[in-house]
Amino acid sequence: GTEKTAKAGKTAAPKSGVKLTHPDRLYWPDAGVTKAGLADYYAQVWRWMGPFVTGRPLALLRCPEGTAGQCFFQKHVWRGASKSIRLVTDPQDKDAGPLVAVDDLDGLAGLVQAGVLEIHPWGSTLRDMEHPDQIILDLDPGEGVDWADITAAAREVKARLEAVGLASFVKTSGGKGLHVVAPLKPKADWAAAKTFAHDLAFAMAKDDPDAFVAVVTKAKRKGRILVDYLRNGRGNTAVAAYSTRARAGAPVSMPVAWAEIDDIGPAAFAVENAPTRLLNLKADPWADFWDSAAPLPAAKGRRKG
Ligand code: ATP
Ligand code: MN
Ligand code: MN
């Protein structure tokens, strides 16, 4: 009866109506994750992931043959894309093909159908594309950097954001580092967001040059952490919370609590254990993300000379 369905709907993962071809194709042979398994993962985490991926332009890493085959980064729509995917013309690039967005779990399943193994959203929404609603500092450890150094770097970013009135949230990248994300009221433009992130990264490098670098030059990174601020320009992206990565072990980018980061490692969360973690959480560490949004602080006047 309806009562039973409603009750079940509260706890059961939603289902997508998108039909998958080759559901048994192994997307991560090393982890035994198939295309159907990936769709199932997203259905299970949708409740948490939805707010972070819907209604914004997406860049996508597609690997139609799985991680064992070739992958390519795609910023525009492709032929044969599922009808569940939303197409959006970029007002500043009308001649390029449409950008891609999803509105719901069916849209995400449409991405899985196309072999998308990584989802990289813009830091702004379709409703207000020119004003980012978050900034992200991507901490990239160079060779020989310990996890403790990475967590210390994340806390340093947090302290600096807090000092100017911004809340910050942390997630694993699903790769080697951590991402610190600050929700914004979408008021400032992309140029201001990038300048702010640039200045934060360069201030960290200046204050502790043995620990941090802000320039992307690989040679300078050994033993240091790159505070990568370049995720904050228009059209730049970072991997979405809960997205899988096309890397060994089917890792995912997992939102975590600040108190948790010392007890985990970069590869703590993957398709295999992420849904269980979420179902067992006492409190979602990112529950207050959107409610914590504050305007980007005005840039300090730059003195000349
Ligand atoms: P890690 O912790 O291993 O650094 P990460 O996701 O932070 O994981 P980075 O290499 O630091 O990886 O970030 C690269 C970012 O650049 C990605 O998050 C993605 O949004 C973007 N990106 C990746 N590949 C391309 C590409 N081919 N073209 C443009 N942007 C890309
Ligand atoms: Mn990174
Ligand atoms: Mn980076």
Side-chain angles (χ1 to χ4, degrees):
T2 42
E3 206 177 311
K4 207 172 175 183
T5 319
K7 208 172 173 191
K10 252 194 144 177
T11 46
K15 266 216 147 29
S16 150
V18 172
K19 186 166 161 27
L20 296 181
T21 56
H22 309 292
D24 297 330
R25 180 169 289 165
L26 274 168
Y27 272 178
W28 286 265
D30 60 326
V33 177
T34 62
K35 187 173 183 178
L38 177 60
D40 187 50
Y41 164 76
Y42 280 130
Q44 292 188 68
V45 304
W46 179 252
R47 190 159 29 114
W48 293 271
M49 183 180 190
F52 297 98
V53 285
T54 50
R56 48 185 80 233
L58 304 174
L60 305 161
L61 187 70
R62 293 180 63 198
C63 316
E65 306 300 324
T67 52
Q70 276 198 20
C71 301
F72 48 94
F73 210 72
Q74 187 143 17
K75 295 187 164 187
H76 299 98
V77 77
W78 52 92
R79 269 174 48 191
S82 164
K83 291 208 166 35
S84 65
I85 293 170
R86 172 140 61 124
L87 308 185
V88 186
T89 302
D90 182 345
Q92 291 192 15
D93 195 5
K94 288 185 175 141
D95 296 336
L99 300 167
V100 173
V102 299
D103 296 319
D104 49 29
L105 179 60
D106 276 357
L108 204 51
L111 299 183
V112 173
Q113 167 56 20
V116 169
L117 300 197
E118 297 192 3
I119 301 167
H120 297 247
W122 285 31
S124 69
T125 64
L126 295 172
R127 289 170 56 189
D128 196 354
M129 279 171 76
E130 307 312 327
H131 301 103
D133 66 354
Q134 54 197 269
I135 49 171
I136 174 161
L137 279 302
D138 163 26
L139 299 171
D140 288 334
E143 232 180 279
V145 171
D146 297 334
W147 183 250
D149 301 324
I150 303 171
T151 59
R155 289 197 171 97
E156 176 67 27
V157 173
K158 177 180 193 269
R160 287 173 187 258
L161 290 168
E162 256 165 24
V164 295
L166 295 178
S168 51
F169 295 80
V170 63
K171 64 185 182 74
T172 65
S173 68
K176 289 183 286 191
L178 287 169
H179 293 167
V180 180
V181 191
L184 297 180
K185 289 221 163 77
K187 298 222 171 1
D189 64 11
W190 282 111
K194 189 163 171 178
T195 300
F196 176 88
H198 166 281
D199 292 354
L200 191 153
F202 275 83
M204 282 177 66
K206 181 167 174 274
D207 292 348
D208 195 347
D210 293 336
F212 306 124
V213 289
V215 289
V216 183
T217 330
K218 265 241 157 97
K220 297 200 176 159
R221 242 189 268 180
K222 197 172 177 218
R224 298 190 178 87
I225 294 169
L226 168 67
V227 184
D228 180 0
Y229 65 90
L230 291 170
R231 314 282 109 240
N232 300 292
R234 189 182 194 277
N236 296 143
T237 56
V239 75
Y242 309 101
S243 172
T244 56
R245 307 306 304 264
R247 304 183 189 192
V252 305
S253 176
M254 177 59 74
V256 292
W258 282 103
E260 221 179 343
I261 56 177
D262 304 303
D263 304 327
I264 60 172
F269 303 106
V271 167
E272 195 258 326
N273 65 355
T276 308
R277 162 187 165 81
L278 292 171
L279 287 168
N280 291 334
L281 275 179
K282 286 201 188 75
D284 173 2
W286 280 36
D288 296 332
F289 187 89
W290 302 108
D291 286 344
S292 308
L296 191 77
K300 291 203 188 90
R302 294 229 182 129
R303 242 170 283 155
K304 283 184 191 153

